Amino acid sequence: MSPALVDVRPEDTQLEENEERTMIDPTSKDDPKFKELVKVLLDWVNDVLVEERIIVKQLEEDLYDGQVLQKLLEKLAGCKLDVAEVTQSEIGQKQKLQTVLEAVQDLLRPHGWALRWSVDAIHGKNLVAILHLLVSLAMHFRAPIRLPEHVSVQVVVVRKREGLLHSSHISEELTTTTEMMMGRFERDAFDTLFDHAPDKLSVVKKFADGVYLVLLVGLLEDYFVPLHNFYLTPESFDQKVHNVSFAFDLMLDGGLKKPKARPEDVVNLDLKSTLRVLYNLFTKYKNVE
């Protein structure tokens, strides 16, 4: 071997000629910011899938076959993918992954983001590729989480050449690029609230389906909102978006400025966007008894 490899597992040395494999340098795995990123994404995935009774314990072990990724994307996007529910063969798993990743690509294409993952990488339990995928999904769907900034890892690339294993190191940025794409630079009072009182923001989730938001506007404006105008028990993503959009229309009719947030932001539990909407309501009706 040349040069010496770092903490290589036996399965990582079983390569065909000209084949290569990547792994995270152990020193990067011990970095507090990397550990925080993994935990934040793991908690977010489990929070999204709680109604599916799915518990993810290890990202690379539980997401590689496409089953959990399928459920995650369907839950986030409010869609249903045309794939087999359960498949044990490697070919079937990769076919499912291909369908899921193509759906992800269709969602992310308008952003123009580089796709730093592939079917082989995800199925090969490449944690860096899985993290790139989850970070992109979290940013696209404006997940109600705070990703640690400027997280990078050292990746060991192992290649087999003429019967010998060779290794090299490269640096992979996991959050800096996507944070810049979203333009999340300036901080305000809402960021301070996230930092100091995250446990008190769970109440905001109650407005995600738009029902309380519609009823609140009607209550503040002192009129009854006909129940046929919105979904009292929304079941789909589109029905929730309809409710929030309808609430926004009621706000405009009441003289408020058009909310900067998108209805999808509120439905996707973007807490900062939801707080802004509620704050605007409060500032107008703060003297209402």
Side-chain angles (χ1 to χ4, degrees), residues 228-269:
H228 65 268
N229 284 334
F230 66 103
Y231 297 95
L232 193 58
T233 55
E235 298 179 353
S236 68
F237 181 84
D238 290 339
Q239 290 178 352
K240 294 175 183 179
V241 170
H242 169 85
N243 283 355
V244 178
S245 298
F246 180 57
F248 284 5
D249 290 339
L250 295 179
M251 293 177 197
L252 286 174
D253 293 340
L256 283 172
K257 292 182 179 179
K258 182 179 180 180
K260 293 182 179 180
R262 303 177 307 163
E264 291 83 359
D265 298 336
V266 177
V267 176
N268 284 323
L269 295 176

Side-chain angles (χ1 to χ4, degrees), residues 67-226:
Q67 182 73 18
V68 174
L69 280 176
Q70 172 203 346
K71 297 296 184 182
L72 179 66
L73 184 60
E74 288 179 341
K75 196 70 176 178
L76 289 171
C79 65
K80 184 68 176 177
L81 299 180
D82 185 18
V83 294
E85 279 300 311
V86 179
T87 177
Q88 299 296 331
S89 70
E90 179 178 336
I91 294 177
Q93 290 173 353
K94 287 189 173 182
Q95 288 175 341
K96 171 177 283 191
L97 265 176
Q98 182 69 38
T99 300
V100 174
L101 295 182
E102 285 176 355
V104 172
Q105 184 175 355
D106 290 340
L107 287 173
L108 301 183
R109 185 178 290 112
H111 298 299
W113 297 347
L115 304 183
R116 301 181 179 183
W117 57 83
S118 65
V119 171
D120 288 336
I122 300 294
H123 195 268
K125 302 181 181 180
N126 185 319
L127 182 56
V128 172
I130 292 172
L131 290 174
H132 276 309
L133 173 61
L134 292 179
V135 167
S136 296
L137 286 174
M139 298 305 294
H140 173 77
F141 288 104
R142 299 177 181 266
I145 58 177
R146 291 191 65 80
L147 298 176
E149 298 180 357
H150 308 294
V151 180
S152 61
V153 293
Q154 289 294 317
V155 176
V156 181
V157 182
V158 182
R159 299 180 179 88
K160 191 170 187 178
R161 297 287 186 272
E162 298 179 353
L164 296 176
L165 294 179
H166 303 262
S167 69
S168 60
H169 288 70
I170 60 174
S171 180
E172 283 271 0
E173 292 182 345
L174 295 172
T175 61
T176 302
T177 302
T178 44
E179 287 288 286
M180 291 175 61
M181 286 178 178
M182 297 303 295
R184 298 180 64 178
F185 292 103
E186 59 181 272
R187 292 176 55 82
D188 55 22
F190 293 99
D191 290 297
T192 303
L193 182 59
F194 273 106
D195 293 337
H196 297 286
D199 56 320
K200 296 181 175 59
L201 296 177
S202 59
V203 66
V204 178
K205 294 182 179 180
K206 296 181 179 180
F207 291 90
D209 62 8
V211 176
Y212 282 176
L213 200 56
V214 170
L215 297 177
L216 178 61
V217 176
L219 181 64
L220 292 172
E221 285 285 345
D222 195 25
Y223 58 71
F224 175 76
V225 181

